[in-house]
Amino acid sequence: MSSPAPSAPRPAAAATAALQSALAAEHAAVYGYGIVGANLAGSRQAAAMTDWVAHQVARDTLEAMIRSRGSEPVPAAVAYRLPVAVRTPGQAVSLAVLLEDRVATAYLGLVALSDVSVRQFGALQVRAAALRAAAWRGSTVPFPGLPASALAAPRPRPS
Amino acid sequence: MAAHPTRRVVLAAAAALPLAGASGCGGVNVLAAPPRAAPDVALLRSAIADEQLLIARYVNVLHGAGNPGGSTSAARRGGAAAALAAALEPMLAEHRAHLAQLRSRLVVPAGASPWPSGRAPAGPAAPTAPGAAAAFLRAAEQAAAAALLDRLPRAPASLAQLFASISASEATHVPVLDTVILDTERAAR
């Protein structure tokens, strides 16, 4: 592994940390979709299975990216504390939306890196998560993955 | 690139997350408030111009949908036009939100006009048939989403995140428009 450019603030370490955060979000999504699928039936369960597989693929990709940087990927937690109890199909869909929103936010962390290829990978994953979230939500949002704290209050426009 | 991107893009505490590993570790990045420093003004202006053009396309389609014109099959077209308008309004509102955020990031030198050419562009004429209008917007959304991704390599970190988020939002409009196109085709049969 080459040493970081002297002018940048340790970009390699920043990249690994951001990749690990994205991986942690994917671990949570893989866990969460198991619960989502268990509470759905029919075509919605099939959709949950498809998304579950997509998150497994993304997790494997991130693990490979982290290993290629000479680091050990963070392991999945044994269990995750869910933000809401999931006992109904409606709650399962809400959890799927939340999982995708978290994943999108984590991938935006990759978009902030200086490595152009990692940026592009992150942006494509933000898009994939936004598409899945919109399908579960049944509607779209203006800023997938961006928390309100990252958005400026609108300022007055000149007429 | 900024000398200290970490000042703009901050990792949040895991405690702030509703979904964290039960072991207590792990978490995802949350982003910082918009930067104070001037980002790449030319990059931002081109993104603003694209967003204005996209809004103009929506406005033109909605204007055409509100005035279908012609007398043949006016009732059917009127119903399809109303359905089209109902589908488009939320997406137009999201584009206006995109534009407001992009403009809020524009930090221009004192004395310079922040608004390059005054008013928003008029945009090309839109097809009036609902299916064709939806296809017209679908192509515009795809082009705009791709153009934002093309700007990522040159953007400062925080702006790149905004571009990626807006691009993803525009990508989610495509399946909505696909549904509109399908519904229009079904209604025409």
Side-chain angles (χ1 to χ4, degrees), chain A residues 29 33 46-56 96 100 132-133 135-136:
Chain A
Y33 264 98
M49 285 289 287
T50 301
D51 291 354
W52 185 55
V53 171
H55 285 291
Q56 289 175 317
E100 297 297 353
R132 290 187 296 257
W136 287 116

Side-chain angles (χ1 to χ4, degrees), chain A residues 21 25 79 81 83 99 102 105 108-109 111-112 119-120 123 127 130-131 140-144 146-147 149-152 155 157-158, chain B residues 1 18-22 27-33 94 97-98 101 103-106 115 149 152 155 157 160-161 165 169 171-172:
Chain A
S21 289
R81 194 167 54 240
L99 292 169
R102 298 290 165 208
T105 300
L108 278 179
V111 174
R119 255 188 199 202
Q120 290 288 344
R127 180 174 75 183
L131 284 165
T140 58
V141 298
F143 302 103
L146 271 185
S149 61
L151 298 171
R155 67 182 182 188
R157 280 187 56 195
Chain B
M1 289 296 295
L19 186 78
V28 296
N29 298 343
V30 176
L31 309 150
E94 290 180 5
H98 297 164
Q101 283 302 316
R103 282 180 160 159
S104 77
R105 301 294 180 98
L106 194 59
W115 317 114
L149 292 189
L152 289 187
Q161 291 180 317
S165 182
S169 171
T172 63

